[in-house]
Amino acid sequence: MFIAQEFTNDEMKVCREDFTQTLLPEDMDIIQHTPLLAEMSEDDLNRILDESSLVNLPCGERLFLRGEQVSSIYLILDGGVKIYRDAPKGKQAVIEILTRGELIAEEAIFLGQGYPTSAEIISDTRLLEIPSSTLLSLLQENNDLAIRMLGRLSQKQCELVFHIEQIKNHSASQRLGEFLLSLCVEKRGPAVLRLPYNKLTIAASLGMKPESLSRAMSKLKTYGVSVKSYDVILSDIAVLRRFCGSSS
């Protein structure tokens, strides 16, 4: 049964005033297409869901802090979450931005210590909160599921390596262009995109300062990119893709 849990702000949770106590059809679609959960038997998935809770959190709320005891992992049903570590002089090193359909902190349940990173909500977000103890029990009972979990973690590591490679080998303008292309539903022709979060968060996720983001956006005008408030207009997706795939 799904429970609308309530916490104080001191516990870094919020009261769910408009909480929906049942999963929506689109929620189940996300769950059934999420790596690891999608590969579970019906009984195992029902066991996970019976022990899980739905959580609604507003933009700016902290989900967990680095070093806190690992009690849950999370599946994003809607919204976005910033994964980061605090850096010197009050700065943050953004590790990744996670969005709808992605799991949060699944690697932390194996560490035997606190969360290795912190997580902050960057847009109003709905989450499925899965107790780590329930998932660990399933993995201990099911060797095939445990192997698939290892495969999922290996894939995630490869994705992070690819992200680091982009930061090292691509210019700021190319990284920004690749980010914009990742938002495109269209494969060719023009496109109008709505930035999913603020420019400060985008800059941090791409490994650049806010002023570098502005300069990178200006350079992309040459490749048919223009900005209007939170909308970005691409005059020709193919032109931008060719630029991002170049070595210059």
Side-chain angles (χ1 to χ4, degrees), residues 27 30 55-60 63 75-82 97-104 120-128 183 196-197:
D27 295 335
I30 291 172
V55 180
N56 287 354
L57 294 176
C59 180
L63 183 58
L75 171 62
I76 303 175
L77 300 175
D78 195 22
V81 178
K82 174 177 66 177
I97 302 294
L98 301 177
T99 56
R100 189 178 187 184
E102 295 189 275
L103 287 168
I104 304 171
E120 180 181 320
I121 306 301
I122 58 173
S123 62
D124 292 351
T125 296
R126 296 178 69 249
L127 300 158
L128 181 68
L183 302 177
Y197 25 85

Side-chain angles (χ1 to χ4, degrees), residues 118-141:
S118 300
E120 180 181 320
I121 306 301
I122 58 173
S123 62
D124 292 351
T125 296
R126 296 178 69 249
L127 300 158
L128 181 68
E129 183 175 16
I130 303 170
S132 56
S133 57
T134 302
L135 181 55
L136 277 173
S137 294
L138 280 176
L139 294 174
Q140 290 169 349
E141 297 166 8

Side-chain angles (χ1 to χ4, degrees), residues 11-75:
E11 294 170 309
M12 294 178 292
K13 303 287 184 181
V14 296
C15 177
R16 286 72 160 179
E17 295 179 356
D18 298 320
F19 184 79
T20 301
Q21 296 194 31
T22 57
L23 284 172
L24 303 173
E26 53 265 38
D27 295 335
M28 283 304 303
D29 186 63
I30 291 172
I31 290 169
Q32 291 168 353
H33 288 87
T34 298
L36 184 66
L37 298 181
E39 298 166 343
M40 288 184 178
S41 68
E42 184 177 352
D43 288 343
D44 286 346
L45 182 58
N46 286 336
R47 180 174 166 186
I48 287 286
L49 296 180
D50 285 344
E51 298 295 328
S52 299
S53 304
L54 287 174
V55 180
N56 287 354
L57 294 176
C59 180
E61 193 73 15
R62 288 176 297 184
L63 183 58
F64 53 79
L65 288 174
R66 179 187 177 191
E68 288 183 346
Q69 181 179 357
V70 178
S71 58
S72 303
I73 70 169
Y74 302 86
L75 171 62

